[in-house]
DNA sequence: AGAGAAATTGCATATAATAGCACTTGATGA
DNA sequence: TCATCAAGTGCTATTATATGCAATTTCTCT
């Protein structure tokens, strides 16, 4: 299934409207396969919808986040980064010193979710975490 | 040790200057023992330093966060909430449906930190997390 | 106590993100 | 196909946070 079709069916299934604006923004994000900021998405989606407004981009992303289609993370740059999640879940380790970003799979956070459910009955949505700290290299005194 | 003295010695030990502005902001936060927003802290600290500016409050909090004296968390309200950490570490579970906030001790996140260190050599700073999800009550169909 | 360097502040301004509101559009079903 | 109506959009205004810079203040050293 292509980006557009998946976006359209998912929105409709959730009782939301599949507008050209949303389709343009979300399929741009899904298609890129990487983190993108709201303004990057605006620039990209404007190629299809020239009148598109940044507020529509934000509202689209907020709605898609509710549906857990996209994840967001503050990676330490000024702007929030968004990413298409679909079924997959992953997280990031960010070094406070050298800025290096490492991607980690969901395993570690998944076991946290299990522990929280067993102890608090809380069903945690650990979709896309940014975890700050010091990387292996910088601990050794390296500059990363 | 009172709020002010602890703030002063910690700042000096870290090579930072203990200005009246910082002392007022940080000891207000420490003294309150709860989450406070930047504007609440401005209002409180202005009682001592009437000329205090909101930008100074933000810069003070950013510096203290670097020193890991204070934690910040986005709890789903519009504003970032700050809290004095000192030596203690805790986290919060926030229900996306009813808004209930539960406080959890550091245990769960501490074992995540251990796993990340063993597997990636990454020393994670899991100071003060806000974890969103659905609480026990709301899962049962309750309104929380 | 006083000089000097460096950090910090106030002020003005910029940027990121959100919200209100009137108008438009997509989905639904006759 | 068309009427209906809630959801979504553009536009504007607002809020929260960050930054540049000149003036001030703290700390250190003498
Ligand atoms: Zn990611
Ligand atoms: Zn590093
Ligand atoms: Zn807290
Ligand atoms: Zn709940």
């Amino acid at each position: 299934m292509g980006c557009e079709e998946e976006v359209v069916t998912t929105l409709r299934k959730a009782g939301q409207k599949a507008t050209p604006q949303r389709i343009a923004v979300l399929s741009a994000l899904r298609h890129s396969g990487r983190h993108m900021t709201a303004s990057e998405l605006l620039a990209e989606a404007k190629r299809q919808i020239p009148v598109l407004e940044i507020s529509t981009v934000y509202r689209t992303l907020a709605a898609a986040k509710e549906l857990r289609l996209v994840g967001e993370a503050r990676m330490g740059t000024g702007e929030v980064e968004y990413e298409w999640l679909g079924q997959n879940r992953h997280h990031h380790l960010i070094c406070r010193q050298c800025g290096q970003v490492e991607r980690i799979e969901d395993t570690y956070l998944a076991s946290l979710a299990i522990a929280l459910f067993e102890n608090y009955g809380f069903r945690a949505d650990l979709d896309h975490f940014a975890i700050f700290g010091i990387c292996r290299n910088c601990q050794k005194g390296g500059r990363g």
Side-chain angles (χ1 to χ4, degrees), chain A residues 70-86:
Chain A
V70 310
E72 69 170 30
R74 299 177 182 267
M75 310 284 289
T77 68
E79 291 173 75
V80 175
E81 299 186 11
Y82 298 90
E83 188 170 23
W84 183 265
L85 294 181

Side-chain angles (χ1 to χ4, degrees), chain A residues 95 97-100 134-135 137-138 143-144:
Chain A
C95 179
Q97 195 166 316
C98 68
Q100 190 195 77
I134 305 291
C135 78
N137 235 327
C138 290
R143 281 171 299 101

Side-chain angles (χ1 to χ4, degrees), chain A residues 34-35 73 75 81-83 85 90-92 103 128-129:
Chain A
R34 60 183 180 87
H35 290 185
M75 310 284 289
E81 299 186 11
Y82 298 90
E83 188 170 23
L85 294 181
H90 70 271
H91 312 279
H92 298 278
R103 181 188 166 113
H128 191 229
F129 265 51

Side-chain angles (χ1 to χ4, degrees), chain A residues 41-95:
Chain A
L41 281 165
L42 175 67
E44 188 62 30
K46 262 197 164 176
R47 296 166 43 157
Q48 285 185 243
I49 318 272
V51 300
L52 186 64
E53 277 285 318
I54 189 73
S55 59
T56 299
V57 175
Y58 279 114
R59 283 186 288 220
T60 297
L61 291 167
K65 192 171 55 132
E66 287 275 298
L67 301 179
R68 303 182 66 183
L69 282 179
V70 310
E72 69 170 30
R74 299 177 182 267
M75 310 284 289
T77 68
E79 291 173 75
V80 175
E81 299 186 11
Y82 298 90
E83 188 170 23
W84 183 265
L85 294 181
Q87 302 308 314
N88 308 316
R89 294 288 177 273
H90 70 271
H91 312 279
H92 298 278
L93 304 180
I94 305 167
C95 179

